[in-house]
């Protein structure tokens, strides 16, 4: 049985534009306009899912996707760094940032480690593969990275080497434990 899981990254928000750890801000006007323009570009799905974050819910709404909020699709919990830019955190806690970027098992921010996050997303991806058909989910960029790392069996250090542009689709096809990956497709060009 082959399943298809398409992960769509959210449109641009202030946090994404400023390289700030997500703080629950809304899409900016340009991001909302682009998401609305892409509405109707998605093929029908058997299931629609969305991360609980504001930017993902707003993107799903603008795309016209009938989606259920799935708590397991929440982005990486960065603890006390939430709302700060990487530059600000690096200035305050350079050793903590260096550790976090070098060791996937570390969580110096008091949140979730990259390893635990990748494991959490892998569990969801495997569960999404159980029913046949097509699942479309609007998720934060780090969710796409974590799913890619686990689907390809890549080391967790690869998490930092995957760029996920706004409003792009990454499709996983196959089944749990054996995925093929199609990345970075702008919406409307399936």
């Amino acid at each position: 049985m082959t399943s298809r899981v398409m992960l769509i990254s959210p449109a641009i928000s202030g946090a994404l534009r400023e390289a700030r750890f997500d703080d629950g801000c809304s899409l900016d006007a340009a991001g909302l306009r682009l998401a609305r323009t892409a509405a109707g570009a998605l093929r029908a799905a058997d299931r629609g899912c969305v991360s609980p974050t504001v930017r993902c819910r707003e993107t799903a709404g603008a795309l016209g996707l009938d989606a259920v909020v799935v708590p397991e699709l929440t982005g990486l919990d960065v603890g006390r760094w939430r709302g700060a830019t990487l530059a600000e955190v690096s200035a305050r806690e350079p050793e903590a940032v260096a550790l976090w970027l070098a060791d996937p098992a570390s969580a110096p921010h008091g949140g979730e480690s990259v390893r635990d996050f990748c494991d959490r997303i892998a569990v969801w991806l495997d569960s999404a593969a159980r029913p046949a058909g097509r699942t479309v989910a609007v998720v934060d960029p780090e969710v796409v990275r974590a799913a890619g790392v686990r689907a390809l069996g890549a080391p967790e250090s690869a998490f930092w080497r995957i760029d996920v542009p706004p409003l792009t689709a990454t499709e996983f096809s196959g089944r749990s434990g054996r995925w093929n990956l199609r990345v970075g497709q702008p919406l409307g060009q399936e």
Side-chain angles (χ1 to χ4, degrees):
M1 162 175 63
T2 298
S3 295
R4 295 192 181 283
V5 177
M6 177 179 284
L7 302 182
I8 299 171
S9 58
I12 197 81
S13 67
L16 285 173
R17 196 175 298 283
E18 297 166 11
R20 185 168 16 100
F21 294 110
D22 185 42
D23 59 357
C25 71
S26 290
L27 298 178
D28 64 20
L32 188 57
R33 185 174 54 255
L34 288 171
R36 286 181 178 148
T37 300
L42 296 175
R43 287 182 282 148
D46 299 297
R47 289 162 300 285
C49 304
V50 64
S51 164
T53 62
V54 172
R55 64 187 178 189
C56 290
R57 291 191 332 263
E58 288 179 352
T59 299
L63 291 171
L65 181 64
D66 183 21
V68 174
V69 173
V70 177
E72 294 84 3
L73 292 176
T74 299
L76 177 66
D77 177 2
V78 293
R80 69 177 175 276
W81 294 351
R82 186 172 194 254
T85 66
L86 184 57
E88 291 167 344
V89 174
S90 294
R92 285 193 315 255
E93 302 179 53
E95 297 85 12
V97 171
L99 174 65
W100 185 57
L101 295 173
D103 179 5
S106 71
H109 42 60
E112 186 174 29
S113 73
V114 169
R115 175 170 294 147
D116 290 344
F117 178 63
C118 288
D119 289 345
R120 173 167 56 90
I121 298 306
V123 168
W124 177 83
L125 185 60
D126 287 346
S127 73
R130 286 188 196 111
R134 191 162 186 269
T135 300
V136 174
V138 178
V139 298
D140 296 291
E142 64 268 23
V143 172
V144 178
R145 282 191 228 125
V149 164
R150 285 298 188 253
L152 295 174
E156 289 139 354
S157 59
F159 179 85
W160 301 114
R161 314 246 338 143
I162 301 171
D163 289 329
V164 181
L167 282 179
T168 55
T170 302
E171 189 166 18
F172 298 81
S173 62
R175 61 187 182 282
S176 177
R178 166 92 173 60
W179 292 102
N180 295 314
L181 189 58
R182 187 174 179 197
V183 297
Q185 233 178 323
L187 289 185
Q189 297 182 14
E190 295 183 70

